[in-house]
Amino acid sequence: MTNVPYPKMMVKYFSQYSPVDTVDDDSEKLAGDAESADPRLKPRTLRLWLTHGILICTSVLSFTLWMRTPSTRLRNDIPSIYSPANVAIEPMIARFNGTLNFPSIYRGPPSPEVDAAWNRIGRNVAPVRMTHEEMLKAGATNLRSKVRYPDKVGGGYMASLEYAHQLHCVNLLRKASWLEYYEPADISFQTTPETVRLHLDHCIEMIRQNIMCNADVTMITWYWVQGHTVPYPNFNTRHRCRNFEKIMDWSLEHAIHIDETEVIRSKDTVDLPRHQRVTS
């Protein structure tokens, strides 16, 4: 689909009022004396007081209603989960390209170039380190079961960023859609059919949970398009995103390159029961 211009709908709200005429003290005193002497000026005084009264009542009512209105800021004020990578979060506006035949290095028939692109953003991201203090800030409690690095690389606990696992899952589904290419050589498919199915279902479930957790409320508008007899959605929408490259740079900078056989099992290590639902 050819990109359809994105409608800009920006509405500004202004509250306006007409200020009541004011007079200085001397003028007010003279006006008061004149009104006392001339009964015909009393209606003007009544109108002035009535105007002030209406303005005050309106202000009080507006303030009361404002105080009783739930605050959007407070509704969205959910504490974020601590991560040492939070320092790498940089908001940005990006436009998605949802055109059906949009060329992308991440799509199309399998090739070394496509695999290299997916490996760069997901598979080749090594674990990072979290200190004891960072673990506590993140809400971890079961530290005796967590994997620790040896002192020769600085100690700390092994951790990885969620985005890498999510992209791994998307990539696994992509590979499964080209099974005749990946099945003979990819390690993900060199196991029993039951295990492959379990892995795929796990990834689908993780993606579902992430989409529902970050439910995107960006509006997709519909258009009349040449060649279509029914309305057609424009998926080329603008989104408030995070600068992915900056987060990935942080993960690469803090990556700990060590063989898994070198991690520490302390004497007080407590193994989690198999298939236990780990909460922290």
Side-chain angles (χ1 to χ4, degrees):
M1 171 182 171
T2 303
N3 290 356
V4 180
Y6 188 82
K8 296 182 179 180
M9 294 177 287
M10 300 182 63
V11 181
K12 295 183 179 180
Y13 298 91
F14 295 92
S15 58
Q16 299 179 338
Y17 68 92
S18 299
V20 178
D21 293 336
T22 58
V23 293
D24 56 32
D25 293 340
D26 293 335
S27 299
E28 186 176 4
K29 181 177 180 181
L30 292 175
D33 293 340
E35 289 170 0
S36 299
D38 189 350
R40 292 176 299 178
L41 297 178
K42 288 184 178 180
R44 180 178 180 278
T45 304
L46 292 177
R47 287 197 302 270
L48 185 61
W49 280 105
L50 181 61
T51 302
H52 278 290
I54 293 175
L55 183 59
I56 293 173
C57 290
T58 302
S59 299
V60 172
L61 179 60
S62 299
F63 179 76
T64 303
L65 293 176
W66 174 78
M67 288 294 291
R68 296 181 63 181
T69 301
S71 170
T72 302
R73 184 187 65 81
L74 292 178
R75 286 200 302 266
N76 295 333
D77 193 17
I78 300 176
S80 60
I81 305 300
Y82 173 78
S83 166
N86 285 345
V87 297
I89 295 176
E90 179 182 87
M92 59 178 289
I93 299 297
R95 184 183 293 277
F96 288 8
N97 195 319
T99 306
L100 291 180
N101 60 349
F102 167 62
S104 168
I105 188 58
Y106 301 106
R107 68 183 294 179
S111 69
E113 292 76 20
V114 172
D115 286 339
W118 278 97
N119 288 338
R120 186 185 81 88
I121 63 176
R123 179 180 176 183
N124 292 338
V125 179
V128 299
R129 180 203 333 275
M130 288 185 70
T131 65
H132 184 269
E133 293 73 17
E134 289 172 337
M135 279 289 189
L136 296 179
K137 289 175 67 174
T141 56
N142 192 11
L143 296 181
R144 292 173 63 188
S145 297
K146 297 189 183 301
V147 178
R148 289 191 288 176
Y149 288 117
D151 292 337
K152 70 177 183 179
V153 295
Y157 296 85
M158 180 181 288
S160 56
L161 276 68
E162 183 74 52
Y163 84 81
H165 177 238
Q166 294 165 357
L167 286 174
H168 155 77
C169 278
V170 176
N171 193 26
L172 182 69
L173 297 180
R174 179 190 68 87
K175 290 179 178 179
S177 70
W178 298 96
L179 196 57
E180 68 279 3
Y181 179 89
Y182 289 103
E183 187 175 32
D186 195 289
I187 190 173
S188 298
F189 304 100
Q190 301 302 305
T191 183
T192 64
E194 293 78 14
T195 301
V196 173
R197 183 71 263 170
L198 187 66
H199 194 181
L200 290 171
D201 288 345
H202 157 76
C203 279
I204 293 172
E205 182 63 8
M206 291 302 298
I207 295 171
R208 177 198 67 79
Q209 292 182 64
N210 184 260
I211 293 175
M212 293 180 68
C213 175
N214 299 284
D216 193 340
V217 296
T218 301
M219 293 297 181
I220 298 175
T221 51
W222 293 66
Y223 293 84
W224 293 110
V225 180
Q226 291 180 352
H228 293 269
T229 58
V230 295
Y232 197 87
N234 178 17
F235 295 111
N236 303 306
T237 50
R238 298 172 71 245
H239 295 256
R240 186 177 189 273
C241 303
R242 293 176 174 179
N243 188 328
F244 177 80
E245 294 294 333
K246 187 171 182 179
I247 293 176
M248 191 171 67
D249 287 344
W250 184 96
S251 66
L252 294 175
E253 180 183 348
H254 293 81
I256 304 297
H257 298 279
I258 186 174
D259 192 274
E260 291 184 358
T261 59
E262 299 184 65
V263 294
I264 293 178
R265 281 188 58 88
S266 302
K267 294 181 179 179
D268 61 346
T269 295
V270 177
D271 290 340
L272 293 178
R274 189 175 181 84
H275 303 309
Q276 175 178 325
R277 182 181 178 184
V278 182
T279 58
S280 62

